[in-house]
Amino acid sequence: MKKYAGVLLCLSFLFVSTSVFALDKISLSQFFLLNYDPASGAMGDSIASMSKNPLSFMNFPSSNFSILSSRVDFSGVAAFDGIYGGAGALMMPFRYGNITAAFSYDNLGVIDNNALAFYLNYVYPFVSEIPVYRDKGGLGVTFKGYHIEIGNELKTSFAVDFGGHYNLDMITTGLWAFAAFKNVGGDLDFGNETFEMPGSFNLALRYELAQDSKPAFTADIIKFFSEGTGYSFGFEIMPVYPATFKIGWRDYGDYVNWGPTAGLFLNFDSFNLGYSFAAMYEDYTPRHSVNFGFMFGRISNENKAYDYYLGYNYNMAKESYNRKDYISARQQLEEILAIYPEHQPSKDLLKQLVYDLDLYDRNLELQVDRWLRSADLALFRNNMVKARNYYYRVLGVDPENAQAESGLAQINAKLKDAEFRVNRKKYEKEIISLWSEGMSFYNSGQFIFAKEKFSRILEIDPNNAGAMQYLEIIRTQVSKITDLQADKMFTQGMEYYNMADYDMAARYFNAVYAADPKRTDAKEYYELSRKALNMSITEMTSKASAAKGQIKSRLADKDDSLLSSNQKVQKEMEIYFNQSVDLFNQEKYEDSLKAFVALREKALKNNYYDLNQQIREYTDKSRKAISEKYFREALSFIKINNPEEAIEKIKKSLEYNKDHVAAAKEYERLKAYLSQQYYDAGIKAYSSGQKDRAKQSLEKSLEYDPKKIESKKALDRIKALGE
């Protein structure tokens, strides 16, 4: 029953106050039309709205007591007979209170009156920090300066508002009292007419219920200094974050400020937006008010910052919960409780969420089926965006759903096909040029170059039928060549090459590379042979000599005693270089690599750099040759079905040349193959009761492919059963 005490107290206050202050009605309409705080206007222009809009001080002097950080706000109002106005405010919090500066422009419509006003407001907040931080209320004062034009006359006037409010939790929790003197100032004399400032004394109560939706009731009584009494009451509630609804009723004893009020407000972390509607008596046009503003800068008071952001993050978690995003909601609540372990609302919501998750899991299978049906239908209609969205939803709750993975694969294939069609149009000229070059090479028997051109076409347009056809013809023509035959043909090509018969050599190298694209050595010698065919006899002789790699030194036959120190270094380096090249030409690649590494070190020590380029080239050639040697050994082990020895050789090959494309591809293939073999062996061993052997096989499977999910699951299951 205690929670209703505040509501009854507000209603009793309203009834008693209207009886005491009730006098004849007077017309003060125009002075209450331009309320620049929609939150107040939506609750019957109550001074107890507790608005977060800094412009609310224009309605109640101490309203800005709880604003946490610097804010900028703007408001606009429109009413009957062309009456309208606009206002802006800048609020700055300081250690000993909050200061707000504002301006407004009011146009009083058909009577051709307007006012330009400037406001300065100061609020001193009451706070309590024992045992916990709490806002208790505040005192405020507003200084107002008006520049008023009525007809052709201009007048300046000043006024002051005083007000304060306090938390009456000693009576009942959630109860607040408000009081204000408004428009205390001098009158304006316009010749035959005196403009009287609409001063008033306002009292109000506010009662807040301790619920998540934050319902609150307000009741106001207004005693005008001239004559007349008005009253209002209001109600607000936040059914869902960040929306707040407000309604109210007011009667100020005139024929304008009378009737129901309402408003909708969105209050985010640092931004607010609001709208209010206030009905007028009989045929008068209603009043409409809008407001928007934003917070900038940080919240300097740590206690306020903690409370403020706690509320914000809790609202975000609750919003996720309300839209059934349980995963996000649970994560947000756990993050809140990690910092605020005693926050009871978060604890309660987490308990409810756990229950709902259990219920959700029970219905998950039905939901997944619905999503899959929707995805399949969208895919059938070629709505790729919608289909992929549903498939991703399924995988979000069931990461191994085969139907969703298959659907996504179809989508990717369709999208890739669409991309190919676009590329075909985009690169049409390049495709035509490559086709012409490829056919020219094919007709002249240069299958290596023809194959490269047709392959490039397929990279741009994988469905190009012509390129696929000619690649298949080339493959068919050389498909009968075995590895042993390819080695023999390569040897024969080298014999012709060393005999300087480059035409015959090119034919053999062409056939070897076309049969096996991994034979980069055949391609290299094919290109050298083709270049050699275009050289003169003199150039050929020169190149053949250079191919040996040796340097003919003019110092080689000279006596060391006749040489300078630099010449001695040059002679020594050239001798070592030629010895290293000899090793390379003898295919002693490991020895040549060691020799070239030592030679580089010797060159650095002697500051001799003339041979740097040649040393670098031969070092690279030696590494590639060693890499190729290990790769060939690996291929030999594959032929005799010894994949584990093969993969070790490939590892060595990649150590010497990490860019060996064929070795890298074969390495990945062997890892996948061995991982599957050990997985099969592990399952077979487990089925026959050999649990230890099964574990060893599955662990070996994961060594080759740590991402193999089947092996990991099977191993975890075996270990769990063993424990």
Side-chain angles (χ1 to χ4, degrees):
M1 294 299 291
K2 186 176 180 180
K3 70 178 181 179
Y4 299 109
V7 180
L8 294 174
L9 191 57
C10 287
L11 295 176
S12 300
F13 165 77
L14 184 61
F15 175 77
V16 172
S17 300
T18 52
S19 301
V20 172
F21 292 119
L23 292 173
D24 295 337
K25 295 180 178 180
I26 64 169
S27 179
L28 295 171
S29 305
Q30 62 184 354
F31 305 119
F32 295 94
L33 288 174
L34 302 179
N35 182 352
Y36 287 105
D37 179 19
S40 167
M43 301 179 75
D45 293 322
S46 172
I47 65 173
S49 67
M50 303 282 270
S51 172
K52 298 299 183 185
N53 172 11
L55 280 165
S56 63
F57 80 86
M58 297 170 68
N59 188 55
F60 180 58
S62 67
S63 63
N64 289 344
F65 80 107
S66 65
I67 295 181
L68 308 176
S69 180
S70 302
R71 289 186 61 94
V72 172
D73 274 72
F74 299 93
S75 294
V77 183
F80 70 92
D81 289 340
I83 296 175
Y84 65 87
L90 170 65
M91 205 289 298
M92 302 288 289
F94 295 92
R95 182 176 181 183
Y96 296 107
N98 297 341
I99 295 178
T100 306
F103 68 92
S104 69
Y105 172 78
D106 306 333
N107 187 304
L108 301 182
V110 294
I111 58 176
D112 196 26
N113 298 343
N114 60 72
L116 183 65
F118 176 77
Y119 307 83
L120 189 62
N121 172 257
Y122 170 75
V123 179
Y124 179 77
F126 304 136
V127 296
S128 170
E129 297 190 6
I130 300 176
V132 293
Y133 178 90
R134 289 189 61 190
D135 285 321
K136 300 293 289 184
L139 286 176
V141 58
T142 302
F143 298 94
K144 303 186 284 188
Y146 297 99
H147 186 68
I148 302 175
E149 178 182 0
I150 298 181
N152 294 322
E153 293 189 72
L154 297 174
K155 295 290 182 178
T156 301
S157 178
F158 298 93
V160 181
D161 293 348
F162 301 95
H165 63 293
Y166 196 75
N167 189 338
L168 301 178
D169 54 1
M170 74 289 292
I171 298 176
T172 183
T173 302
L175 184 64
W176 296 77
F178 300 77
F181 287 97
K182 300 173 64 175
N183 293 315
V184 179
D187 299 334
L188 293 175
D189 186 7
F190 284 85
N192 297 328
E193 183 180 359
T194 299
F195 183 89
E196 183 179 326
M197 294 298 292
S200 65
F201 175 60
N202 299 54
L203 289 174
L205 289 177
R206 176 185 177 91
Y207 180 62
E208 301 171 341
L209 296 177
Q211 297 180 11
D212 289 344
S213 57
K214 300 181 180 179
F217 300 86
T218 63
D220 291 64
I221 185 72
I222 307 168
K223 175 65 180 74
F224 301 109
F225 291 164
S226 55
E227 57 179 285
T229 304
Y231 68 90
S232 69
F233 58 85
F235 171 74
E236 69 178 11
I237 190 170
M238 188 177 73
V240 59
Y241 176 82
T244 300
F245 294 99
K246 299 175 184 278
I247 57 173
W249 177 275
R250 76 205 190 289
D251 184 353
Y252 287 172
D254 55 49
Y255 295 102
V256 177
N257 294 290
W258 179 93
T261 58
L264 171 63
F265 303 86
L266 301 175
N267 295 300
F268 298 94
D269 177 20
S270 58
F271 175 77
N272 65 276
L273 182 66
Y275 165 78
S276 72
F277 163 89
M280 301 292 180
Y281 188 76
E282 293 185 346
D283 297 330
Y284 287 103
T285 304
R287 182 183 72 198
H288 301 276
S289 303
V290 293
N291 161 256
F292 71 92
F294 56 90
M295 184 173 74
F296 63 92
R298 70 188 188 93
I299 300 175
S300 57
N301 187 303
E302 290 186 356
N303 290 324
K304 285 188 177 183
Y306 294 159
D307 292 343
Y308 179 79
Y309 287 112
L310 171 60
Y312 168 73
N313 288 300
Y314 175 72
N315 284 330
M316 293 296 291
K318 192 172 181 182
E319 181 188 14
S320 299
Y321 172 80
N322 289 336
R323 68 171 185 266
K324 300 189 184 303
D325 185 358
Y326 298 133
I327 295 174
S328 296
R330 183 168 190 167
Q331 181 180 358
Q332 289 164 337
L333 289 171
E334 288 174 348
E335 288 174 354
I336 290 172
L337 291 172
I339 300 174
Y340 304 95
E342 300 303 322
H343 188 239
Q344 194 59 42
S346 294
K347 289 182 178 180
D348 295 340
L349 185 58
L350 187 58
K351 288 181 182 178
Q352 181 63 35
L353 186 148
V354 171
Y355 171 79
D356 291 339
L357 269 176
D358 182 58
L359 183 64
Y360 175 77
D361 287 340
R362 285 183 243 141
N363 297 322
L364 189 59
E365 187 174 349
L366 293 174
Q367 182 64 62
V368 167
D369 288 340
R370 284 196 292 270
W371 284 341
L372 286 172
R373 287 197 299 272
S374 298
D376 292 341
L377 179 60
L379 182 59
F380 175 75
R381 294 173 176 172
N382 284 323
N383 188 341
M384 305 301 175
V385 174
K386 187 175 182 180
R388 184 161 62 175
N389 183 25
Y390 277 114
Y391 286 134
Y392 276 134
R393 287 190 193 181
V394 172
L395 293 176
V397 296
D398 182 10
E400 298 180 12
N401 189 285
Q403 188 174 343
E405 290 180 345
S406 174
L408 284 174
Q410 292 182 56
I411 290 173
N412 291 333
K414 286 177 177 288
L415 292 176
K416 189 168 288 187
D417 187 58
E419 181 184 355
F420 293 153
R421 288 196 297 272
V422 171
N423 282 346
R424 185 179 301 165
K425 187 70 176 176
K426 182 177 179 181
Y427 299 104
E428 181 178 2
K429 291 183 179 179
E430 185 178 350
I431 291 174
I432 293 174
S433 175
L434 288 169
W435 175 263
S436 177
E437 293 174 6
M439 288 303 300
S440 176
F441 285 127
Y442 177 82
N443 292 331
S444 64
Q446 301 181 56
F447 295 150
I448 288 179
F449 294 142
K451 192 173 183 180
E452 285 182 351
K453 300 301 179 182
F454 293 137
S455 298
R456 174 60 185 146
I457 291 175
L458 290 181
E459 288 177 8
I460 302 172
D461 178 14
N463 296 325
N464 190 289
M468 288 191 287
Q469 177 185 359
Y470 275 94
L471 282 174
E472 181 61 23
I473 292 173
I474 293 173
R475 188 194 66 79
T476 302
Q477 289 183 356
V478 298
S479 61
K480 296 180 180 180
I481 300 176
T482 64
D483 290 343
L484 182 60
Q485 289 172 326
D487 289 339
K488 289 181 178 179
M489 293 174 69
F490 182 82
T491 302
Q492 186 65 52
M494 287 301 299
E495 290 178 0
Y496 282 116
Y497 183 85
N498 292 329
M499 293 166 58
D501 188 349
Y502 298 112
D503 182 38
M504 289 298 295
R507 295 182 186 183
Y508 278 97
F509 293 139
N510 182 25
V512 172
Y513 183 73
D516 184 4
K518 291 181 288 186
R519 293 294 299 266
T520 56
D521 52 350
K523 180 184 178 183
E524 180 182 356
Y525 277 106
Y526 174 77
E527 292 173 348
L528 288 173
S529 299
R530 294 296 303 178
K531 289 178 182 178
L533 286 172
N534 298 321
M535 295 180 185
S536 65
I537 299 299
T538 303
E539 288 174 326
M540 267 191 232
T541 305
S542 175
K543 290 291 181 181
S545 176
K548 297 286 185 179
Q550 300 202 350
I551 293 178
K552 189 172 182 180
S553 174
R554 58 187 176 81
L555 304 175
D557 299 326
K558 290 190 177 182
D559 190 346
D560 287 354
S561 62
L562 302 176
L563 300 177
S564 67
S565 58
N566 288 337
Q567 289 176 325
K568 289 179 181 179
V569 169
Q570 179 183 348
K571 178 180 177 181
E572 183 181 6
M573 293 296 296
E574 290 173 349
I575 291 171
Y576 282 132
F577 177 80
N578 288 332
Q579 291 174 352
S580 301
V581 171
D582 286 339
L583 291 172
F584 179 84
N585 292 333
Q586 294 168 21
E587 298 186 1
K588 297 178 180 180
Y589 300 122
E590 286 90 346
D591 294 337
S592 71
L593 180 59
K594 292 177 182 178
F596 283 119
V597 170
L599 187 61
R600 179 188 291 268
E601 183 178 353
K602 191 175 187 66
L604 291 172
K605 288 180 178 179
N606 290 280
N607 295 319
Y608 183 78
Y609 304 111
D610 291 356
L611 295 174
N612 267 10
Q613 181 64 29
Q614 293 95 322
I615 294 172
R616 188 180 300 110
E617 289 176 357
Y618 270 99
T619 300
D620 187 52
K621 287 181 180 180
S622 298
R623 292 179 63 87
K624 289 181 178 179
I626 296 170
S627 174
E628 186 65 25
K629 170 193 166 188
Y630 280 115
F631 180 61
R632 290 178 180 281
E633 291 177 2
L635 294 178
S636 300
F637 280 115
I638 292 173
K639 289 179 182 178
I640 61 175
N641 197 24
N642 190 345
E644 289 184 292
E645 286 292 338
I647 202 169
E648 292 302 319
K649 293 293 184 181
I650 289 179
K651 283 182 184 178
K652 295 289 290 183
S653 174
L654 291 173
E655 285 178 7
Y656 282 97
N657 181 14
K658 60 182 176 55
D659 296 324
H660 197 308
V661 177
K665 288 182 179 179
E666 192 64 25
Y667 183 61
E668 293 299 324
R669 187 192 71 79
L670 284 174
K671 284 201 302 181
Y673 172 78
L674 287 169
S675 180
Q676 184 65 36
Q677 292 296 308
Y678 276 108
Y679 169 75
D680 294 340
I683 297 300
K684 184 176 180 180
Y686 182 74
S687 300
S688 62
Q690 303 177 58
K691 189 165 66 174
D692 291 339
R693 185 174 179 181
K695 286 170 62 176
Q696 292 174 0
S697 295
L698 291 171
E699 287 170 351
K700 195 72 174 177
S701 172
L702 289 172
E703 286 181 17
Y704 286 111
D705 185 2
K707 295 181 180 180
K708 191 172 181 62
I709 297 174
E710 302 97 310
S711 299
K712 189 175 187 309
K713 286 186 174 181
L715 183 60
D716 291 343
R717 195 178 302 116
I718 292 172
K719 288 181 178 179
L721 292 173
E723 293 171 358

